[in-house]
Every structure is written in C-alpha cells, then in structure tokens.
Amino acid sequence: QVQLVESGGGLVQAGGSRRLSCAASGRSVGSYTMGWFRKAPGKEREFVAAISWSGGTTYAADSVKGRFTISRDSAKNTVYLQLNSLKPEDTAVYYCAANRMRVGRTVREYDYWGQGTQVTVSS
C-alpha cells in the first residue's frame, strides 16, 4: 500500500511559477515510477510528466515540454513538479501517481493516486 499526498497548488498569474510536491509513504516507495497527471474542468485526466525510480529517465507531455520539470528526492520520498511559464490553460487539478512496473504515460499504467492539488492560472 502506498499513500500519496500532493501540495503546493494555488493561484498564480500567467507567466509565473509554482512547485508542486508529492509526499509518498508505504513500503518500498523509493522503487516506484512516479508520474504527474492533471484534470482540467470538463476534460479527462491527462499525462503531464513521469520519472523512473532512479530519476535517470523522465518524460513530459508535449504541452508542457520546456516549461515543467519533474524530479524526485529519494531520501525524502518526495516527487516534485516545477511549473514555469504558466498559462491559463494549465489550470487543473494536478495528481501524483505511482507505478509499480515502468515509466508510463497513461492513466491505466498507474496503481496509486493522490487526492490532487488545484493550480489556477489567471489571465
């Protein structure tokens, strides 16, 4: 069993930055592939970024490449998502997820999910 708790969301002006955190607890949490997804109002949950257990492999969605960066601190069992150059269309609930198997870019591949943290980007 893995528990994930996101934090760091809030109201940000367009062009601003924000750092989201995902605190993980449970057995062998440092061995999981971690990902970030988001759900905008009226839309389906979509992939944002993912990172391997070692931190050596990362992926990012085309919509956020060059603006968002995923990282992890294994000692703290924490995964981060650095949000830069934010746009109004980035407004969404951001979810942290854990994958037991491999780095994935689909919702179906992830086994554990946090409750989400709201990021709102004003025009």
Side-chain angles (χ1 to χ4, degrees):
Q1 185 74 12
V2 174
Q3 295 80 44
L4 306 173
V5 180
E6 303 95 334
S7 62
L11 179 63
V12 190
Q13 291 188 341
S17 298
R18 198 82 177 184
R19 189 178 76 163
L20 308 183
S21 298
C22 174
S25 61
R27 296 184 65 183
S28 301
V29 292
S31 298
Y32 284 76
T33 294
M34 303 297 299
W36 286 94
F37 292 76
R38 66 185 182 184
K39 188 180 187 303
K43 297 184 178 181
E44 297 296 321
R45 186 168 41 180
E46 67 174 355
F47 171 76
V48 176
I51 188 168
S52 65
W53 68 269
S54 67
T57 302
T58 61
Y59 293 105
D62 290 342
S63 60
V64 305
K65 285 181 179 177
R67 299 189 298 120
F68 294 3
T69 302
I70 188 171
S71 62
R72 70 189 303 165
D73 185 336
S74 297
K76 296 181 178 180
N77 293 325
T78 302
V79 181
Y80 304 96
L81 185 67
Q82 179 67 43
L83 313 176
N84 295 327
S85 302
L86 284 163
K87 305 174 182 179
E89 52 263 44
D90 294 319
T91 295
V93 177
Y94 284 73
Y95 297 91
C96 177
N99 179 348
R100 292 180 295 139
M101 300 180 71
R102 60 183 181 271
V103 179
R105 296 187 284 185
T106 66
V107 169
R108 189 173 182 176
E109 292 175 274
Y110 287 80
D111 305 296
Y112 303 98
W113 296 85
Q115 294 297 308
T117 186
Q118 176 72 44
V119 175
T120 302
V121 184
S122 61
S123 302

